[in-house]
Amino acid sequence: MQQLIRIGIFFFLLLSGIMSSGLHTSADDSSLTVMDMSESSLYEDGLRSLDGEWGFYWETFLDPGEPLPDPDALIQVPAEWTSLQLDGSPLPHHGYATYHIRLQLHEEDLNHSLAIYMANVSTAYDLFINGEAHGGQGVTADNREDMEPENFSTVYFFDADTPEVDVVIHVSDYYQRSAGIWESVRIGTASDIVAERESNTLIQMFILGGIFLIGLYHLILFLIRSKDPGPLYFSILCFSIGIRTLLLRDTLMFSLMPWISWSLAVNLEYISALMSLIFILLFLRSQLPDDLPKRVVVIAVSLIGSYLVFVAVTPTWIFRETNYVLYVLAIFATALAVYYTVVALVRRRDGAMLYGAGMLVLFIAVANDVLYYAHVLETDGYVAAGLLFFLFIQSIQLSRKYARSFNRAEGLSAELHEMNEQLETRVKERTAELKQANNHLQKMERSRRQLFASISHELNTPLTFIQGYIKAMIDGVIDRDDSKYLRSIYTDTTMMSAMIRDLQDLSKLESDQVSFDYQTVDGLDFFTDVIQEQSWMIEKKNNTTIITENELDHNHKWLINVDPVRIKQVFSNLVLNAIKHASKGKEIVIRLTSVKRADGCHALQVCVKDFGEGIPKEDIPFVFDRFYKLEKDEINDSRGAGLGLAIAKEIVELHDGEISVESELGEGSVFSFRLPIDQVTKSEGGEHYG
């Protein structure tokens, strides 16, 4: 608390010195004021400020069209008229007066379009050039009731027809402490003045855009994570600063919203400044909770908030008389912020260096503006730029804070992941086992249902024939010793036995209950022997010619790892299937070749081609399903169970192989299966295909 009192006393004394340092006495020279500009051309040398001594006529609105009398005094422009003393005492804040100055132009400036740029004149004025009215702001009067305040920067154009230009300005002020022409009046060519105005506007818009974007960004951060109030405080701080910036210098607020009144604009200017002070302290408190005491923030915010309420409820002309309170509060709040930022820096708090740099620049900018608007310094208003720098620095700090939080979260996540890795692995393994078991059970259930339906259908046909034959023999319809019917019964029972055997094989294959006797064999020799072994039986029984096409090099050994018995079964099933669908008298082509699979591995391919009727396109995806028969097979009452191709598919896939079919109606079909080649060996060495 003692630190707070010491800081307050220091800045009260500082402000008292500032407010008392601006008084000047009047000059003794009572002649008309002339500013000689004939030595330099506005077209050549650019803009010029009309800073210097002007003729001053207190409580008089002189007729600019009449000869002017000697002035009451000479007044320095820019400055408040309260800095002038008449009859030994300073002038009051409220009143009205006439300013005059005569400009002597350079001959190159004659007969050209010139312009005067008027910035801050408090609080209403009328401008006359060479006796002609060129506009003004508000309504000037000699009393508060008739006066209407208005004050924003404006450009006035005129033609320089004579070498001397008389500038007369009527000014009245009954609404604020800063009275008179207290910012420089600029003159130059019309194009230069417009260019400077546009340049100032662009700079101000750039600063405003940066401030509002930073504010919007941090508002979104707060909406995403509302636990931390820091981004919200910072966002409101940005918006408050942005609104105040709109009301300074070129007062862009009036350009964006021309309907706004001067009184409302002044209220917004003060309220936004006070809001900025409140939220800069709240923001620093949220960022430096261990260094900036809560009690100090509560006291400072209460003082600022009390003055904010006073501004909001009182008329403009009243609270404008207390603008020095705003200066005190501004310096007091920024001093607190700087002080406790230094404390955080000494204590080596994280981010204190950035906070310190931003607060130092902001404090210098605020102090400069206080001294500038108190007319102690003749610099310019830099608070907007200082605030933008401060906001930018704080944005970096907040971004660093969120980045560190994210990094910590990532680190904790990595640690948690590492701690739970074994547990997750066990859970995944158990889940995979359960899933696999569940899938297996579901598959078995589907297979069981399909199996029952298919078996019922497939066994029903031969059983019906057998029952019919036996019933006919019992009833004496046919002779019991007729061998033809007995052979039919035997054929049907044999087919039923083969079907049951195939079902058993397929069931074992699907449930992985079949043990394979894998051997590494030369694929070329193996299939050559198989073809020779089965060819004579097939050709003799079925009157079908088998043609073998071998594209494998006999000088190599094509080593494959297979169960010879099972692969022979696959080959037999494909050949028998081809014989069943081949046209009578047509041959069957068996081709041996090597191919490269989609996974990049080399494989030995066996193709069995028939020249039958072919398979319809819509049936091709189902030919390897159990009990699947083509429509023509069902019509022709084919006695096959439809299990051979399904068994072949299971065996090939258990060898990490592939099986497929290609067919065209009327052209026949080609069934192919591919087995991985482990190695191709030449007589002098080996080459691994992998």
Side-chain angles (χ1 to χ4, degrees):
M1 188 65 182
Q2 292 179 350
Q3 292 177 340
L4 195 63
I5 294 173
R6 286 199 295 268
I7 293 173
I9 293 174
F10 170 75
F11 285 105
F12 176 77
L13 295 175
L14 175 64
L15 189 67
S16 299
I18 291 171
M19 301 305 293
S20 63
S21 62
L23 296 177
H24 302 280
T25 59
S26 63
D28 294 334
D29 187 1
S30 60
S31 61
L32 292 178
T33 50
V34 177
M35 182 174 291
D36 188 2
M37 301 170 54
S38 60
E39 298 298 326
S40 61
S41 169
L42 296 175
Y43 273 89
E44 295 292 335
D45 301 325
L47 302 179
R48 181 168 176 176
S49 297
L50 301 182
D51 296 347
E53 292 182 333
W54 289 47
F56 184 77
Y57 303 85
W58 177 241
E59 294 188 339
T60 302
F61 286 147
L62 295 178
D63 185 353
E66 299 294 330
L68 297 177
D70 291 340
D72 296 336
L74 300 180
I75 188 170
Q76 190 71 26
V77 173
E80 299 179 25
W81 67 43
T82 54
S83 64
L84 184 66
Q85 291 187 354
L86 291 178
D87 299 329
S89 59
L91 295 180
H93 300 288
H94 297 165
Y96 61 100
T98 300
Y99 287 77
H100 168 260
I101 192 168
R102 179 168 294 167
L103 307 177
Q104 293 180 344
L105 302 178
H106 191 276
E107 59 182 7
E108 292 184 6
D109 298 330
L110 297 179
N111 300 318
H112 287 90
S113 178
L114 302 181
I116 289 180
Y117 177 62
M118 301 288 292
N120 281 312
V121 179
S122 299
T123 309
Y125 69 91
D126 295 312
L127 174 65
F128 302 89
I129 300 176
N130 289 335
E132 296 181 1
H134 276 68
Q137 297 288 334
V139 177
T140 58
D142 58 3
N143 60 82
R144 178 180 291 114
E145 289 74 18
D146 296 330
M147 176 191 164
E148 294 181 9
E150 193 171 52
N151 182 19
F152 57 89
S153 58
T154 314
V155 176
Y156 300 96
F157 300 94
F158 68 96
D159 294 326
D161 299 328
T162 60
E164 290 188 346
V165 176
D166 273 318
V167 179
V168 175
I169 303 176
H170 293 170
V171 181
S172 60
D173 175 55
Y174 290 94
Y175 281 86
Q176 63 182 35
R177 293 178 61 86
S178 300
I181 305 174
W182 52 280
E183 281 201 29
S184 295
V185 179
R186 302 270 283 169
I187 188 172
T189 64
S191 59
D192 288 347
I193 289 289
V194 170
E196 182 178 79
R197 177 74 179 275
E198 291 178 349
S199 175
N200 291 340
T201 301
L202 286 175
I203 293 173
Q204 198 167 0
M205 290 298 291
F206 171 77
I207 294 174
L208 277 170
I211 292 173
F212 278 110
L213 282 176
I214 293 172
L216 181 62
Y217 170 74
H218 287 89
L219 178 60
I220 294 173
L221 281 183
F222 172 75
L223 295 176
I224 294 173
R225 185 176 181 272
S226 57
K227 273 189 174 182
D228 182 9
L232 177 63
Y233 297 153
F234 195 75
S235 175
I236 299 175
L237 171 63
C238 291
F239 294 141
S240 301
I241 291 171
I243 293 173
R244 176 168 172 78
T245 304
L246 280 171
L247 296 165
L248 297 178
R249 296 303 302 270
D250 293 307
T251 53
L252 290 179
M253 178 74 78
F254 291 103
S255 299
L256 298 174
M257 294 179 286
W259 47 266
I260 195 170
S261 66
W262 178 84
S263 298
L264 178 58
V266 173
N267 275 76
L268 288 175
E269 178 187 348
Y270 272 62
I271 290 174
S272 60
L274 294 168
M275 291 283 287
S276 301
L277 298 178
I278 290 174
F279 282 97
I280 196 173
L281 291 175
L282 292 176
F283 170 70
L284 284 177
R285 166 66 186 168
S286 69
Q287 303 303 302
L288 305 172
D290 297 329
D291 303 302
L292 180 54
K294 182 179 180 181
R295 182 178 57 179
V296 172
V297 175
V298 170
I299 294 174
V301 170
S302 299
L303 292 174
I304 299 171
S306 300
Y307 185 61
L308 189 151
V309 173
F310 171 77
V311 169
V313 300
T314 56
T316 307
W317 65 271
I318 293 179
F319 73 74
R320 287 288 282 184
E321 293 294 324
T322 64
N323 58 354
Y324 61 89
V325 178
L326 176 61
Y327 299 154
V328 170
L329 292 175
I331 294 181
F332 176 64
T334 51
L336 279 178
V338 170
Y339 174 77
Y340 285 106
T341 302
V342 172
V343 171
L345 189 61
V346 171
R347 294 175 180 175
R348 299 181 180 277
R349 302 297 188 194
D350 183 52
M353 186 68 72
L354 284 174
Y355 285 125
M359 290 306 307
L360 179 61
V361 172
L362 179 61
F363 178 77
I364 294 172
V366 171
N368 171 82
D369 276 36
V370 169
L371 297 176
Y372 169 71
Y373 287 109
H375 308 294
V376 175
L377 296 180
E378 296 183 2
T379 53
D380 204 344
Y382 295 115
V383 70
L387 286 169
L388 180 61
F389 178 79
F390 170 76
L391 295 178
F392 178 71
I393 291 296
Q394 302 314 310
S395 296
I396 294 176
Q397 175 58 20
L398 279 177
S399 299
R400 290 179 66 247
K401 179 180 177 181
Y402 273 88
R404 286 195 302 272
S405 299
F406 183 73
N407 290 336
R408 284 197 296 270
E410 280 188 330
L412 291 174
S413 178
E415 291 177 5
L416 182 62
H417 176 75
E418 185 177 354
M419 291 173 60
N420 294 334
E421 190 173 15
Q422 293 181 350
L423 177 60
E424 289 179 358
T425 301
R426 288 196 296 269
V427 170
K428 287 180 180 179
E429 290 175 353
R430 185 62 58 86
T431 302
E433 291 174 0
L434 292 174
K435 186 176 181 180
Q436 184 178 1
N438 183 55
N439 291 338
H440 182 67
L441 290 174
Q442 290 180 355
K443 184 177 180 181
M444 290 179 64
E445 176 63 19
R446 288 194 300 269
S447 299
R448 183 185 64 81
R449 292 178 182 178
Q450 183 179 357
L451 182 63
F452 287 159
S454 300
I455 289 175
S456 298
H457 174 74
E458 295 296 333
L459 293 181
N460 184 61
T461 301
L463 282 174
T464 301
F465 281 108
I466 293 172
Q467 288 174 349
Y469 293 147
I470 294 175
K471 183 71 168 73
M473 289 180 182
I474 294 173
D475 295 339
V477 177
I478 60 175
D479 188 358
R480 295 184 181 183
D481 298 326
D482 191 338
S483 62
K484 179 178 69 173
Y485 292 104
L486 291 175
R487 281 194 298 270
S488 296
I489 293 173
Y490 176 76
T491 300
D492 288 338
T493 56
T494 301
M495 186 186 72
M496 292 173 62
S497 176
M499 185 186 305
I500 293 171
R501 185 174 60 253
D502 287 345
L503 283 171
Q504 290 175 338
D505 289 345
L506 185 60
S507 177
K508 290 178 180 180
L509 288 170
E510 291 180 341
S511 59
D512 296 330
Q513 295 179 0
V514 177
S515 59
F516 283 75
D517 182 16
Y518 288 102
Q519 301 176 24
T520 301
V521 299
D522 179 4
L524 178 57
D525 291 344
F526 173 74
F527 284 107
T528 299
D529 293 341
V530 171
I531 293 171
Q532 290 177 353
E533 177 185 321
Q534 297 189 9
S535 291
W536 70 272
M537 294 179 61
I538 293 171
E539 292 177 353
K540 181 178 180 181
K541 285 186 177 183
N542 298 282
N543 194 24
T544 303
T545 303
I546 294 181
I547 300 174
T548 303
E549 296 179 355
N550 178 31
E551 298 180 7
L552 301 176
D553 189 350
H554 289 276
N555 296 322
H556 293 76
K557 289 188 176 182
W558 306 81
L559 301 182
I560 56 176
N561 190 31
V562 297
D563 183 334
V565 175
R566 295 297 178 179
I567 294 301
K568 186 183 294 185
Q569 183 181 358
V570 172
F571 179 81
S572 299
N573 285 350
L574 294 184
V575 171
L576 291 174
N577 181 72
I579 292 171
K580 183 172 66 174
H581 293 92
S583 300
K584 290 185 177 181
K586 293 289 185 72
E587 65 272 6
I588 295 174
V589 178
I590 300 175
R591 181 182 298 112
L592 302 177
T593 183
S594 66
V595 296
K596 192 171 184 178
R597 300 196 307 186
D599 59 6
C601 298
H602 289 77
L604 189 149
Q605 178 173 270
V606 180
C607 301
V608 180
K609 178 176 177 59
D610 65 70
F611 295 92
E613 296 180 5
I615 304 173
K617 186 176 181 181
E618 61 272 15
D619 288 326
I620 289 178
F622 309 104
V623 296
F624 293 105
D625 292 349
R626 289 182 298 180
F627 298 106
Y628 187 79
K629 293 184 179 181
L630 300 181
E631 185 177 351
K632 61 184 181 64
D633 292 337
E634 295 179 355
I635 294 173
N636 295 332
D637 191 25
S638 173
R639 295 297 184 92
L643 295 173
L645 294 179
I647 293 174
K649 179 175 181 291
E650 292 291 335
I651 294 174
V652 170
E653 289 182 350
L654 288 171
H655 281 77
D656 194 24
E658 301 171 346
I659 189 167
S660 61
V661 60
E662 297 177 2
S663 182
E664 291 186 16
L665 287 176
E667 300 293 332
S669 305
V670 179
F671 284 82
S672 306
F673 65 94
R674 292 161 291 280
L675 301 172
I677 297 175
D678 285 350
Q679 196 173 13
V680 178
T681 305
K682 295 181 182 180
S683 57
E684 66 274 10
E687 180 182 356
H688 182 65
Y689 272 1

PDB file of all heavy atoms in Angstrom, residues 556 679-687:
ATOM      1  N   HIS A 556      16.306 -74.278 -65.845  1.00  0.00           N
ATOM      2  CA  HIS A 556      16.185 -73.738 -64.494  1.00  0.00           C
ATOM      3  C   HIS A 556      15.323 -74.663 -63.654  1.00  0.00           C
ATOM      4  O   HIS A 556      14.522 -75.435 -64.173  1.00  0.00           O
ATOM      5  CB  HIS A 556      15.540 -72.348 -64.511  1.00  0.00           C
ATOM      6  CG  HIS A 556      16.391 -71.291 -65.152  1.00  0.00           C
ATOM      7  ND1 HIS A 556      16.551 -71.193 -66.521  1.00  0.00           N
ATOM      8  CD2 HIS A 556      17.128 -70.285 -64.612  1.00  0.00           C
ATOM      9  CE1 HIS A 556      17.331 -70.174 -66.807  1.00  0.00           C
ATOM     10  NE2 HIS A 556      17.705 -69.605 -65.665  1.00  0.00           N
ATOM     11  N   GLN A 679      12.582 -69.684 -55.284  1.00  0.00           N
ATOM     12  CA  GLN A 679      13.899 -69.491 -55.879  1.00  0.00           C
ATOM     13  C   GLN A 679      13.914 -70.106 -57.270  1.00  0.00           C
ATOM     14  O   GLN A 679      13.249 -71.111 -57.543  1.00  0.00           O
ATOM     15  CB  GLN A 679      14.977 -70.143 -54.996  1.00  0.00           C
ATOM     16  CG  GLN A 679      16.392 -69.689 -55.297  1.00  0.00           C
ATOM     17  CD  GLN A 679      17.363 -70.240 -54.266  1.00  0.00           C
ATOM     18  OE1 GLN A 679      17.021 -71.133 -53.503  1.00  0.00           O
ATOM     19  NE2 GLN A 679      18.568 -69.744 -54.253  1.00  0.00           N
ATOM     20  N   VAL A 680      14.650 -69.463 -58.149  1.00  0.00           N
ATOM     21  CA  VAL A 680      14.913 -70.024 -59.481  1.00  0.00           C
ATOM     22  C   VAL A 680      16.396 -70.346 -59.546  1.00  0.00           C
ATOM     23  O   VAL A 680      17.232 -69.454 -59.386  1.00  0.00           O
ATOM     24  CB  VAL A 680      14.514 -69.041 -60.602  1.00  0.00           C
ATOM     25  CG1 VAL A 680      14.843 -69.629 -61.957  1.00  0.00           C
ATOM     26  CG2 VAL A 680      13.026 -68.720 -60.505  1.00  0.00           C
ATOM     27  N   THR A 681      16.701 -71.599 -59.760  1.00  0.00           N
ATOM     28  CA  THR A 681      18.095 -72.047 -59.677  1.00  0.00           C
ATOM     29  C   THR A 681      18.607 -72.456 -61.055  1.00  0.00           C
ATOM     30  O   THR A 681      17.965 -73.245 -61.762  1.00  0.00           O
ATOM     31  CB  THR A 681      18.231 -73.245 -58.715  1.00  0.00           C
ATOM     32  OG1 THR A 681      17.674 -72.874 -57.458  1.00  0.00           O
ATOM     33  CG2 THR A 681      19.679 -73.630 -58.540  1.00  0.00           C
ATOM     34  N   LYS A 682      19.738 -71.896 -61.412  1.00  0.00           N
ATOM     35  CA  LYS A 682      20.432 -72.337 -62.629  1.00  0.00           C
ATOM     36  C   LYS A 682      21.401 -73.459 -62.267  1.00  0.00           C
ATOM     37  O   LYS A 682      21.658 -73.739 -61.094  1.00  0.00           O
ATOM     38  CB  LYS A 682      21.197 -71.168 -63.237  1.00  0.00           C
ATOM     39  CG  LYS A 682      20.307 -70.036 -63.727  1.00  0.00           C
ATOM     40  CD  LYS A 682      21.146 -68.931 -64.340  1.00  0.00           C
ATOM     41  CE  LYS A 682      20.269 -67.779 -64.797  1.00  0.00           C
ATOM     42  NZ  LYS A 682      21.078 -66.684 -65.395  1.00  0.00           N
ATOM     43  N   SER A 683      21.949 -74.070 -63.293  1.00  0.00           N
ATOM     44  CA  SER A 683      22.886 -75.182 -63.056  1.00  0.00           C
ATOM     45  C   SER A 683      24.130 -74.679 -62.347  1.00  0.00           C
ATOM     46  O   SER A 683      24.732 -75.394 -61.561  1.00  0.00           O
ATOM     47  CB  SER A 683      23.262 -75.856 -64.385  1.00  0.00           C
ATOM     48  OG  SER A 683      23.829 -74.889 -65.276  1.00  0.00           O
ATOM     49  N   GLU A 684      24.549 -73.390 -62.632  1.00  0.00           N
ATOM     50  CA  GLU A 684      25.791 -72.903 -62.029  1.00  0.00           C
ATOM     51  C   GLU A 684      25.561 -72.055 -60.791  1.00  0.00           C
ATOM     52  O   GLU A 684      26.495 -71.565 -60.190  1.00  0.00           O
ATOM     53  CB  GLU A 684      26.597 -72.063 -63.040  1.00  0.00           C
ATOM     54  CG  GLU A 684      25.918 -70.746 -63.455  1.00  0.00           C
ATOM     55  CD  GLU A 684      24.952 -70.945 -64.611  1.00  0.00           C
ATOM     56  OE1 GLU A 684      24.689 -72.129 -64.943  1.00  0.00           O
ATOM     57  OE2 GLU A 684      24.480 -69.954 -65.179  1.00  0.00           O
ATOM     58  N   GLY A 685      24.379 -71.771 -60.406  1.00  0.00           N
ATOM     59  CA  GLY A 685      24.170 -70.942 -59.225  1.00  0.00           C
ATOM     60  C   GLY A 685      22.699 -70.661 -59.012  1.00  0.00           C
ATOM     61  O   GLY A 685      21.840 -71.226 -59.672  1.00  0.00           O
ATOM     62  N   GLY A 686      22.409 -69.764 -58.135  1.00  0.00           N
ATOM     63  CA  GLY A 686      21.026 -69.450 -57.814  1.00  0.00           C
ATOM     64  C   GLY A 686      20.733 -67.969 -57.848  1.00  0.00           C
ATOM     65  O   GLY A 686      21.625 -67.150 -57.728  1.00  0.00           O
ATOM     66  N   GLU A 687      19.471 -67.673 -58.010  1.00  0.00           N
ATOM     67  CA  GLU A 687      19.020 -66.276 -58.031  1.00  0.00           C
ATOM     68  C   GLU A 687      17.730 -66.203 -57.239  1.00  0.00           C
ATOM     69  O   GLU A 687      16.779 -66.941 -57.508  1.00  0.00           O
ATOM     70  CB  GLU A 687      18.781 -65.831 -59.471  1.00  0.00           C
ATOM     71  CG  GLU A 687      18.311 -64.384 -59.577  1.00  0.00           C
ATOM     72  CD  GLU A 687      18.044 -63.998 -61.011  1.00  0.00           C
ATOM     73  OE1 GLU A 687      18.294 -64.822 -61.900  1.00  0.00           O
ATOM     74  OE2 GLU A 687      17.566 -62.880 -61.219  1.00  0.00           O
TER      75      GLU A 687
END
